[in-house]
Amino acid sequence: MTTHAAAGTRSPRTAPVRRLLRPRVSLGFELVAVAAWIALVAPAVAGGSHGADGAGRTPGTGAPHHHVSTAQAVHGATGSADLAMWALMSVAMMLPAAVPALAHVGTNSLRRRRQRAMATFAAVYLAVWIGYGALLLGAAPLWARLPHDVVLACALALAAAWQLTVHKRRALRDCHRSSPLPPTGWRAVAGAGRFGLRQGGACLRSCWALMLVMTVASGGSGSGSGMLAWMAVLTGIVMTERLARKPRRPTHLAAAVLAAAALAVALPAAGWRWY
């Protein structure tokens, strides 16, 4: 009786601490996202520590440097290498947004098949984003010959406008919806896959414009650190919207940030055209 009373009088202020210390079923996938960030950051750090200039050459030698910046890795390679880099970016940027859904899959699956169900969900979820990446990479030549500042400003303005639409709100609401999962057999595998497809589709509808900005921005970044800065900002927007209890306010704040960034990019470009 005393034990139950003590448990019932726990301060609600300690609830976040208890949740943090509780074993996390999604920890393995969170570590995968961290590893993806490390894989993206390491080339930029290594290139900077060796003193490479913006063209990827060691100053004073004119010889190509052995370390390639992250931005060059995204757009300097072709075909499968480009898509592989996009997949790595998707794991780093979008997999953290799927952690609540992964936790739902893990906690609602039998222990003996928990990891399989979560892996099925993650594979389908990321496949949606990789498919979108293939579409963007195929369309990139359409804007590659245009002035980069103009294209980036348009992409930022489009993303800011999308943040304020009813379609964005509906997609973000769908991102927060769970799904019942069958416990065993092929129905369980299919259920995890359907949930991954549903979550991936909702996340894509919510964040497609942000990832378009990422694609355009990485194409013109002068260094790997420039692309990483864009990744950090856009990932912060995605995570804030996904984890907020009332996402409308951070969505509107993100729209203001994106609109300000569009103006900051467009005005210097317009000023140069006057001279």
Side-chain angles (χ1 to χ4, degrees), residues 81-177:
D82 268 347
L83 194 57
M85 182 59 72
W86 172 273
L88 187 62
M89 290 170 56
S90 298
V91 172
M93 297 179 68
M94 306 313 301
L95 188 59
V99 165
L102 278 165
H104 170 76
V105 174
T107 55
N108 289 277
S109 299
L110 298 177
R111 183 181 296 271
R112 61 184 172 81
R113 62 171 312 279
R114 176 176 295 166
Q115 294 302 319
R116 190 193 329 163
M118 296 172 71
T120 301
F121 170 89
V124 175
Y125 175 86
L126 290 173
V128 172
W129 279 107
I130 293 171
Y132 179 57
L135 181 64
L136 284 182
L137 292 172
L142 297 177
W143 63 74
R145 296 182 181 181
L146 299 175
H148 177 263
D149 288 345
V150 174
V151 177
L152 180 56
C154 291
L156 286 164
L158 177 62
W162 180 255
Q163 293 290 110
L164 303 177
T165 64
V166 65
H167 305 291
K168 166 73 178 187
R169 291 196 298 272
R170 289 173 180 170
L172 196 55
R173 186 168 59 246
D174 289 344
C175 289
H176 288 79
R177 288 179 176 170

Side-chain angles (χ1 to χ4, degrees), residues 185-226:
W186 284 106
R187 292 183 59 206
V189 177
R194 281 195 303 270
F195 187 40
L197 184 62
R198 189 177 304 126
Q199 283 285 309
C203 192
L204 177 60
R205 287 188 287 118
S206 175
C207 302
W208 67 269
L210 294 176
M211 292 302 281
L212 175 62
V213 170
M214 184 69 249
T215 304
V216 174
S218 62
S221 298
S223 64
S225 59

Side-chain angles (χ1 to χ4, degrees), residues 7 54 58 66 71 75 77-78 133 137 161 166 172 178 206 221 226 235 241 249:
T58 306
H66 291 295
H75 285 271
T78 57
L137 292 172
V166 65
L172 196 55
S178 59
S206 175
S221 298
T235 303
E241 290 180 344
R249 182 176 299 176

